[in-house]
Amino acid sequence: MKVRTRFAPSPTGYMHIGNLRTALYAWLFAKKNKGDFILRIEDTDRNRLVDNACDIIYNTLRDTGLSYSEGPDVGGDYGPYIQSERKSIYGKYAKILVEKGAAYYCFCTKERLDALREEAAKEGKVFKYDKHCLKLSKEEVQAKLDAGEEYVIRQNIPLEGESSYFDNVYGEIKVPMSDMEDNILLKSDGWPTYNMANVIDDHLMEITHVIRGIEYLSSTPKYNLLYDALGWERPSYVHLPPVMKDKTKKLSKRNGDASYEDLINKGYLKEAIINYIALLGWNPGGEREIFSLEELAEVFSLEGLSKSSAIFDIEKLTWMNGEYIRALSKEDFITRASRFTDWGTDDPVKIEKIAGLIQPRIETLTQIDEKIAFLREMAAFDAELYSNKKNKTTPENSIPLIESAIEALSDIPEEGFVNDNLYQALIDVAEKNEVKNGKVLWPVRIAITGLSVTPGGATEIAELLGRKETLKRLEASLDNLKRFVSED
């Protein structure tokens, strides 16, 4: 039998990390087994729908490379792939379940149900529907239907025994019938609940493996009763442990935790995000951590899935993102980085040089602007930065060395104002003053950037600034230093 997996999100907002991981695992399993990966939109909870959420789902899956062979926007032989377009299908099967005794009409009013809930609360019990309407005869049911009374269709859960199934992560799962309630399958407005819709859709779409979150682990026995009542083969189940914010809190878009789009906007690469979330609850074996999407598909297996929850570690993702950034070609890096920064120039040669300095030194693309801000505007003067024990510099002894540097760099024409020439000129200044190279290079770098830590050395930065701006900054810093020393 051909493997068919599905990702069935509700269009209720951005794609959060746990949801994307579910999609990834379903995609990887299908890819590994040369099967089909299907997208289905579950929009029967009409109160939680968010405008454009479907587009976010489509765009996220495409952006991450999780292509689907069937779905709302690509079609397929098992459509429609949006539940709201399948409404008539659910009503048909709900009535079949009633005919088989696996479901029944319930005409209980809101007032009666509220009273039952209050009574249960007073007695310290969990509310459970009392099967009141199951006792109605066929004639009584028909009379109420003919009278136009509002109704829902409830699942008829046996009172005794247990329902069991095998889960590929958690093993044998057994739930006593007494723990399950006669949940609603079809609401009074004709819309199905998830309890029924997922079963009908998964069967009709020939889904072989249902991969979803652990929150459905204990309710799956209810779904299996529907499969059995309809005479359908159950799918194979894979329930995934949650992704946690910390040891006690689940990562959730309802709590405002980072979505895929949030991470992209914070400068994380899609490849790094996919690689990282693949390892949240799954172990490929060995020490290797960096995998392309294709490599993940080659090594993915259900056996590597963990029963334990996974904690989303933003520091680990940031480290991994840095690895991916450094592995980008220079052209790709510039293209991606240009979304997050103004290079300060249209000169492609200069942009390439700036990128060459920045790429090895950042972990997210949003760090670029901060790293190169000094190229657009020099940081505020700070005399203390000129004091450096390693290079034995002070504000006082930096003054004559900067004066010599200005004189040497002024002799270099604009067309020759490049790193090699600038470096040689400052080395000559050090030799002339009988000091080590660092004693000249350090104060010059401070004088043209105002920073003690920069992506690149003094002469690399001077080349990027150009002759006019470099000399202008050196002169201004020299004046500030002289003023500081005279006032001290």
Side-chain angles (χ1 to χ4, degrees):
M1 180 184 293
K2 188 176 187 179
V3 167
R4 286 173 62 83
T5 67
R6 50 74 161 175
F7 176 52
S10 298
T12 56
Y14 293 114
M15 183 85 79
H16 69 88
I17 294 305
N19 222 9
L20 182 57
R21 186 192 63 169
T22 299
L24 173 61
Y25 287 171
W27 185 91
L28 291 173
F29 186 73
K31 191 81 170 176
K32 175 71 177 289
N33 292 280
K34 297 180 173 54
D36 296 328
F37 173 64
I38 296 145
L39 174 65
R40 182 174 75 229
I41 301 297
E42 299 194 340
D43 63 343
T44 57
D45 189 348
R46 310 302 291 173
N47 295 322
R48 295 182 58 216
L49 302 185
V50 173
D51 291 341
N52 301 320
C54 284
D55 290 332
I56 291 172
I57 293 167
Y58 303 150
N59 294 336
T60 299
L61 293 179
R62 288 198 190 99
D63 191 45
T64 53
L66 304 184
S67 57
Y68 40 96
S69 55
E70 301 168 33
D73 56 336
V74 298
D77 296 334
Y78 298 83
Y81 294 91
I82 297 180
Q83 285 186 337
S84 58
E85 298 174 10
R86 301 169 63 84
K87 190 175 179 181
S88 61
I89 297 174
Y90 307 123
K92 167 189 168 184
Y93 282 102
K95 289 175 182 177
I96 291 175
L97 288 166
V98 170
E99 292 169 5
K100 290 178 174 290
Y104 58 95
Y105 290 96
C106 176
F107 300 91
C108 289
T109 63
K110 180 179 182 298
E111 290 72 22
R112 181 177 188 274
L113 295 175
D114 287 344
L116 290 175
R117 288 191 181 90
E118 288 181 18
E119 185 178 340
K122 288 178 182 177
E123 296 177 2
K125 297 179 180 178
V126 176
F127 169 74
K128 186 176 180 181
Y129 182 66
D130 60 0
K131 289 184 178 284
H132 175 76
C133 289
L134 181 60
K135 304 175 184 120
L136 296 175
S137 67
K138 286 186 178 181
E139 292 74 21
E140 289 175 309
V141 169
Q142 191 59 52
K144 288 179 177 291
L145 292 175
D146 292 341
E149 287 192 33
E150 190 173 90
Y151 68 87
V152 298
I153 293 181
R154 289 183 181 273
Q155 185 173 3
N156 184 15
I157 304 287
L159 294 173
E160 298 178 345
E162 64 180 14
S163 180
S164 65
Y165 71 98
F166 179 80
D167 181 79
N168 283 277
V169 177
Y170 294 93
E172 193 72 20
I173 303 298
K174 296 181 180 180
V175 177
M177 300 293 188
S178 57
D179 286 356
M180 295 186 278
E181 185 185 4
D182 288 2
N183 50 271
I184 295 172
L185 300 178
L186 200 69
K187 294 180 281 189
S188 59
D189 57 7
W191 286 102
T193 60
Y194 177 84
N195 299 312
M196 182 176 71
N198 85 91
V199 170
I200 305 300
D201 289 341
D202 285 341
H203 173 75
L204 296 181
M205 294 181 183
E206 298 186 7
I207 302 302
T208 61
H209 293 74
V210 172
I211 300 175
R212 61 188 172 204
I214 193 176
E215 60 268 27
Y216 298 106
L217 186 71
S218 60
S219 55
T220 293
K222 294 187 293 189
Y223 312 148
N224 286 334
L225 292 176
L226 298 179
Y227 279 106
D228 297 346
L230 292 166
W232 294 344
E233 183 179 352
R234 301 176 182 181
S236 182
Y237 293 107
V238 183
H239 287 95
L240 305 173
V243 179
M244 306 292 287
K245 185 174 185 176
D246 52 41
K247 291 182 178 180
T248 60
K249 297 177 185 175
K250 185 179 177 182
L251 202 67
S252 169
K253 61 183 176 184
R254 289 187 182 182
N255 296 330
D257 293 321
S259 66
Y260 170 77
E261 192 163 320
D262 290 332
L263 292 173
I264 291 295
N265 290 334
K266 289 177 180 177
Y268 291 90
L269 305 187
K270 59 186 179 184
E271 297 90 345
I273 297 171
I274 285 292
N275 189 161
Y276 177 68
I277 67 173
L279 304 179
L280 286 175
W282 172 71
N283 189 335
E287 299 298 320
R288 183 180 176 187
E289 293 185 288
I290 305 297
F291 294 88
S292 68
L293 185 58
E294 293 71 24
E295 290 169 335
L296 286 170
E298 290 177 8
V299 299
F300 184 77
S301 69
L302 299 181
E303 291 73 25
L305 292 173
S306 172
K307 295 180 181 180
S308 303
S309 58
I311 295 179
F312 184 82
D313 184 348
I314 192 65
E315 292 183 3
K316 181 66 177 289
L317 171 59
T318 302
W319 165 82
M320 185 173 284
N321 199 63
E323 295 293 307
Y324 270 89
I325 285 176
R326 287 185 279 280
L328 293 174
S329 68
K330 187 168 289 186
E331 294 76 15
D332 195 8
F333 173 73
I334 291 172
T335 299
R336 299 197 197 203
S338 294
R339 177 191 166 193
F340 294 88
T341 190
D342 174 8
W343 297 103
T345 177
D346 294 327
D347 183 351
V349 175
K350 187 168 283 190
I351 290 175
E352 188 172 319
K353 289 180 178 179
I354 296 172
L357 292 180
I358 293 296
Q359 188 174 357
R361 295 174 169 86
I362 60 169
E363 292 184 307
T364 66
L365 297 178
T366 50
Q367 293 174 349
I368 297 174
D369 252 5
E370 180 185 352
K371 294 285 187 184
I372 65 173
F374 70 90
L375 292 175
R376 293 188 289 271
E377 183 179 359
M378 185 169 163
F381 174 75
D382 184 354
E384 296 301 319
L385 297 180
Y386 290 88
S387 298
N388 183 277
K389 290 182 179 180
K390 178 182 177 182
N391 295 304
K392 298 180 180 180
T393 59
T394 64
E396 291 78 10
N397 65 27
S398 292
I399 290 175
L401 295 175
I402 292 176
E403 288 176 331
S404 294
I406 292 173
E407 183 179 347
L409 298 183
S410 296
D411 291 338
I412 301 175
E414 183 65 47
E415 62 272 16
F417 210 79
V418 295
N419 182 51
D420 289 346
N421 294 342
L422 299 174
Y423 185 77
Q424 187 58 55
L426 294 185
I427 295 307
D428 290 345
V429 168
E431 185 175 342
K432 179 181 177 181
N433 285 273
E434 298 181 341
V435 297
K436 291 184 177 181
N437 298 342
K439 198 163 187 176
V440 173
L441 295 172
W442 178 265
V444 168
R445 177 151 66 99
I446 301 299
I448 63 175
T449 66
L451 302 170
S452 59
V453 179
T454 55
T459 55
E460 291 174 300
I461 294 168
E463 179 182 357
L464 292 174
L465 290 171
R467 183 177 186 277
K468 181 179 179 181
E469 182 65 16
T470 296
L471 293 174
K472 175 184 173 182
R473 291 188 179 192
L474 284 170
E475 294 282 3
S477 295
L478 180 62
D479 288 343
N480 285 330
L481 262 182
K482 288 180 176 178
R483 191 176 302 112
F484 172 80
V485 169
S486 65
E487 293 174 354
D488 190 30

